[in-house]
Amino acid sequence: MSQAVVDDALQAARDIGVKNILALRGDPPREHEYASEIQETGDGEKLVWAADLVRYIRKTHGNYFCIGVAGYPEGHSDESCPVDQDPVHDIPYLAEKVQAGADFIMTQLFYDVEAYSNYVSMVQNWQDGVLKNVPIIPGLMPIQNYQILKRITKLSHAKLPLDILHRLEGVKGDDEKVKRVGVDIMSEIVEKVKKTKSIGPKGFHFYTLNLEKAVSFIVERCQLILPSKSEGIEQDSSAIDETENPIINGTSSLHLSNGTPRSRRASARRPSSPHNHVVPLSSSPDSSTTPHTEEPSPAITLAISHGVGSLGREATWDDYPNGRFGDARSPAFGEIDGYGGPSLHQSPSAAREKWGSPKNRSDLSNLFKQHVMGQLDQLPWSEGGLNEETQVIKYDLCRLIEERGWWTIASQPAVDGVSSDNAIFGWGPRGGFVFQKAFVEMFIPEHDWKTVLRPYLTSPAIAPEVSWYAAPSSSTSNDGRDLLESSDSATAVNSVTWGAFPGKEIITPTIVEEVSFRAWVDEAFGIWTEWEQCYPLESMSRKFLRQERENLWLVNVISHGFREERRLWEILMSA
C-alpha cells in the first residue's frame, strides 16, 4: 500500500473524529517477484510490517490516535498447514509493535480459553516487562453455522476444543439449534475469560460478520451492558477505557453502528450500487438508505436481544443464506466466504505441490476429475472435500469434464421431498421435508458458451426449464459495457434449496441470484489469478493458466424440474 493511501486514510479518520486505529500488516504478496512496489516514506522508511505502520502513525500524528495491534493466542501463520505456528515465535514481533507505539493488543478469534490464558500470561511476563502493562482485548466470533465454524477455524488456524465440537455435532443439521448452542458456548467462554488475570479493562471484541443477534444474546446473558440511569449512555472515544466495567468493541457500552452502510465485499466486487444497503424484512421504503443518527438505548438493545418489536424481528437469527450462493440482502453477505479476501488459502509452494504444474487442458481436466472422484481433497475454489450428496451426481460431473471440457466447481442434485433427518440430504428441525433444484457451476470456454450452450439454453424448447447466469473473467468491457448475461431479470431470485417444517414458514437456505453471482465471478477469477502467480513469471504453467482464464466464462445453470433428477444433466449433455 502506498504512503499516500495511508496518509489519506489517517487524515480521513481525523476529519470525522475517529481516534482508534487497528494497525495490521495485511496479506503479504505471494512471492517477492509478484509484490507491488513498496512505497517509501520521505526518510526512506518502508511500510512493510505492522510495526512500520505503527511507527509511521506515531511519527506523523503523535499521540492523537489510540493504536491497536494484532495478537495470536495460538500463533500466527501464513500457511494453510502451519507447521511452525507457535505464539512464542510471535512475541518478539508483538514487542516490536508495542515499542513502536501500540497502545493495546486485539487478538485473533479463539475458542480455546486455556490457550488464551496461557497467551496472556506469556505476554505479561515477557522479557524486560515491555508488554506487562499493555491491555489485551480478546477476539471472539459467535457460532452461526456448523460448516461456517469449521471453515473459519480452518482459515484462521484456531483450535476447536473437542468438547465444543461434540456439543455442536449433535445439532449440526439444525442451524437454529447450532446458534442457540453457540450462544451457550460463547457465553461460557466470556465468563471464563472474565476470570483471566489481565492488565486493563476486561473488554471483548466480537467478530460479528454483521450478524448482531447472537452478540446481543451473549451480551445480555453475560451482563456486559452497563446499567444506566437514563435512556442515553455517554460514549468514550478511546478504545482503552480505564473503567473496571466490561467494554465491548472498545466502548463502555454496547455500540450498534448506525448510519454507515455495512461492508460486504471489497468495493471492486460490489454490484452497480456504491453501497449494498441492508434491506429490512419490513420497513418504510426509505429506512434502508436513510442513516440513523441516534444511539440505541439499553432498552432498545435488550428488546433486540429478546426479539421484541420491529428491531427485534429484523435482528433475529440471520435467516438469509450466506456465502457463495447467498442472498445479497443478508447483513453477512460476503463476510463469511470472504473471510480474509479471495484467496487460495495455500502458499505458492503448497499450491504447486497439491496441483502440480498444469500445461494444457488435459492436465486441468484431470485435476477437476480427481476432485469430483474424491482423489483430490481441494481445488483452488474449494476449502475441502465434496459433500456426500455429490456422490449422487459425480459421474454426471465427470462426463461434463471429460466429454465437454467444462470444469465444474459447484453443484447439487435434485431432491424431491426427502425427510429432514435424511443422512445425506437432510437439514433443519425434525419432522420436515427438504427439496432441491439441481444446478451446476462451471468454467466454460468462450466459444462453447456462445456457440453451443447459450443457444441451446435459450431455445424455445429448453428456455422454460432453466435459469442461468454467465460472465467472463472481465465482466465489464473496455468501453464500460456490462458483460454479465442472465436468463432472468436483475431482481430475480432462484431458490435452489428449501424446506417445509412444522410450525415454520418455508425456509430457503440456498439461492442463486445476480448480485451474489456477480460478486462470486470477480472472486472466482481473482482466485484463478492467484493460482497463476504461484508459478514463475515465464513458466509454461503461468502462461497457460493466464490464457485459459482470459478465455473462460463462469456459468451457472439451474434446472427448475426438482422432481426430475436426471433432467439437468440430460440438457447439458444434449447441447
Side-chain angles (χ1 to χ4, degrees):
M1 181 181 292
S2 71
Q3 177 191 342
V5 172
V6 173
D7 289 339
D8 288 346
L10 293 173
Q11 188 57 51
R14 292 195 68 152
D15 290 345
I16 61 175
V18 171
K19 291 188 175 182
N20 303 320
I21 297 289
L22 185 60
L24 305 175
R25 180 196 65 178
D27 295 331
R30 284 291 174 189
E31 288 181 348
H32 177 70
E33 63 180 301
Y34 312 123
S36 300
E37 181 180 354
I38 297 174
Q39 301 293 327
E40 296 187 357
T41 60
D43 59 0
E45 292 181 78
K46 292 183 179 180
L47 301 180
V48 180
W49 308 103
D52 300 327
L53 180 58
V54 173
R55 194 176 295 111
Y56 182 69
I57 295 172
R58 281 283 173 250
K59 179 179 178 179
T60 55
H61 293 272
N63 292 323
Y64 177 83
F65 289 111
C66 178
I67 305 174
V69 292
Y72 299 87
E74 296 169 272
H76 178 267
S77 176
D78 293 324
E79 308 288 341
S80 291
C81 300
V83 177
D84 299 322
Q85 186 173 335
D86 189 338
V88 175
H89 174 75
D90 302 333
I91 300 298
Y93 301 104
L94 181 63
E96 183 183 0
K97 290 187 282 189
V98 170
Q99 290 173 323
D103 297 298
F104 67 97
I105 300 164
M106 185 175 289
T107 77
Q108 171 66 290
L109 64 92
F110 65 89
Y111 297 94
D112 186 343
V113 178
E114 182 178 358
Y116 171 76
S117 298
N118 292 339
Y119 177 75
V120 171
S121 176
M122 185 187 310
V123 170
Q124 292 178 347
N125 293 290
W126 192 247
Q127 302 168 0
D128 302 326
V130 66
L131 302 173
K132 183 177 181 180
N133 297 315
V134 182
I136 300 174
I137 300 176
L140 304 174
M141 181 177 285
I143 298 169
Q144 305 285 353
N145 172 282
Y146 179 80
Q147 293 300 331
I148 289 171
L149 174 67
K150 295 295 290 292
R151 282 206 325 262
I152 289 295
T153 51
K154 178 180 179 181
L155 296 179
S156 63
H157 311 303
K159 177 184 175 183
L160 196 59
L162 285 178
D163 61 322
I164 292 179
L165 187 60
H166 291 158
R167 290 168 68 178
L168 292 169
E169 283 181 340
V171 295
K172 63 182 180 182
D174 188 334
D175 277 355
E176 188 168 345
K177 288 184 179 179
V178 168
K179 290 166 185 168
R180 296 192 184 282
V181 172
V183 168
D184 294 340
I185 291 170
M186 194 55 61
S187 298
E188 293 165 11
I189 289 175
V190 168
E191 294 299 340
K192 291 177 182 177
V193 170
K194 282 183 180 180
K195 299 175 183 178
T196 301
K197 295 181 179 179
S198 60
I199 301 299
K202 293 188 181 299
F204 298 88
H205 172 76
F206 289 98
Y207 296 91
T208 66
L209 299 180
N210 285 332
L211 302 176
E212 70 272 27
K213 180 67 172 181
V215 177
S216 297
F217 271 114
I218 295 164
V219 164
E220 180 191 10
R221 184 176 299 184
C222 298
Q223 299 180 340
L224 299 181
I225 299 178
L226 293 176
S228 66
K229 297 180 181 179
S230 63
E231 286 294 301
I233 296 181
E234 181 180 356
Q235 300 291 327
D236 188 341
S237 61
S238 172
I240 304 303
D241 186 358
E242 296 304 326
T243 177
E244 294 181 356
N245 293 302
I247 63 174
I248 305 157
N249 284 344
T251 62
S252 58
S253 68
L254 181 64
H255 182 83
L256 299 179
S257 177
N258 292 311
T260 303
R262 289 163 167 171
S263 172
R264 292 171 182 166
R265 291 184 185 261
S267 58
R269 299 196 304 278
R270 283 177 179 157
S272 56
S273 171
H275 297 295
N276 286 329
H277 295 290
V278 176
V279 180
L281 294 176
S282 58
S283 62
S284 64
D286 295 329
S287 64
S288 64
T289 57
T290 304
H292 298 282
T293 56
E294 296 182 0
E295 190 71 18
S297 69
I300 290 178
T301 301
L302 289 174
I304 291 174
S305 70
H306 283 299
V308 177
S310 63
L311 281 176
R313 287 192 297 273
E314 292 159 15
T316 55
W317 301 130
D318 182 39
D319 290 327
Y320 292 117
N322 299 298
R324 195 159 300 162
F325 301 103
D327 190 331
R329 294 172 296 175
S330 167
F333 176 65
E335 296 291 344
I336 296 171
D337 278 346
Y339 185 83
S343 174
L344 291 175
H345 308 307
Q346 298 280 344
S347 67
S349 58
R352 291 191 295 267
E353 181 178 354
K354 183 177 289 290
W355 301 309
S357 300
K359 298 178 178 65
N360 52 55
R361 288 186 58 81
S362 178
D363 290 344
L364 279 182
S365 291
N366 285 335
L367 287 177
F368 283 91
K369 181 183 175 181
Q370 288 172 19
H371 183 56
V372 167
M373 297 303 293
Q375 298 164 358
L376 181 64
D377 67 343
Q378 187 176 3
L379 287 174
W381 302 272
S382 65
E383 290 152 3
L386 298 173
N387 295 330
E388 283 188 82
E389 66 177 23
T390 306
Q391 297 295 322
V392 178
I393 56 174
K394 66 180 181 181
Y395 294 111
D396 297 301
L397 299 177
C398 281
R399 287 191 67 194
L400 290 175
I401 295 168
E402 291 181 315
E403 299 180 27
R404 307 309 297 262
W406 299 347
W407 300 323
T408 64
I409 60 173
S411 58
Q412 74 177 26
V415 173
D416 181 18
V418 303
S419 172
S420 60
D421 59 4
N422 182 279
I424 296 177
F425 302 108
W427 55 272
R430 292 191 175 188
F433 296 90
V434 299
F435 305 80
Q436 292 183 179
K437 292 180 181 179
F439 76 82
V440 65
E441 188 173 77
M442 50 197 171
F443 290 113
I444 297 180
E446 182 176 33
H447 179 268
D448 285 9
W449 169 242
K450 291 186 175 181
T451 65
V452 179
L453 186 55
R454 183 176 64 185
Y456 190 66
L457 296 179
T458 55
S459 65
I462 301 300
E465 298 187 51
V466 297
S467 288
W468 52 265
Y469 299 86
S473 59
S474 178
S475 56
T476 304
S477 66
N478 293 333
D479 58 2
R481 289 181 296 109
D482 186 3
L483 298 181
L484 185 143
E485 300 177 0
S486 172
S487 60
D488 299 335
S489 68
T491 58
V493 174
N494 289 283
S495 298
V496 294
T497 303
W498 65 98
F501 305 97
K504 292 182 176 292
E505 296 180 355
I506 299 297
I507 298 174
T508 57
T510 312
I511 68 169
V512 179
E513 44 83 54
E514 182 175 312
V515 174
S516 55
F517 179 78
R518 185 184 296 273
W520 171 234
V521 166
D522 289 342
E523 188 172 336
F525 282 110
I527 291 172
W528 192 292
T529 300
E530 289 193 12
W531 188 17
E532 295 170 24
Q533 294 175 347
C534 291
Y535 301 92
L537 281 168
E538 300 302 321
S539 67
M540 288 183 62
S541 292
R542 180 161 182 167
K543 291 179 180 179
F544 166 69
L545 289 173
R546 181 176 65 251
Q547 291 168 358
E548 285 299 307
R549 171 177 56 82
E550 294 173 348
N551 181 49
L552 291 173
W553 281 58
L554 184 64
V555 178
N556 187 299
V557 184
I558 307 157
S559 171
H560 297 304
F562 64 90
R563 291 183 171 179
E564 304 173 76
E565 62 181 35
R566 301 292 315 148
R567 187 55 182 152
L568 175 61
W569 318 110
E570 292 170 354
I571 290 172
L572 294 174
M573 293 307 299
S574 298

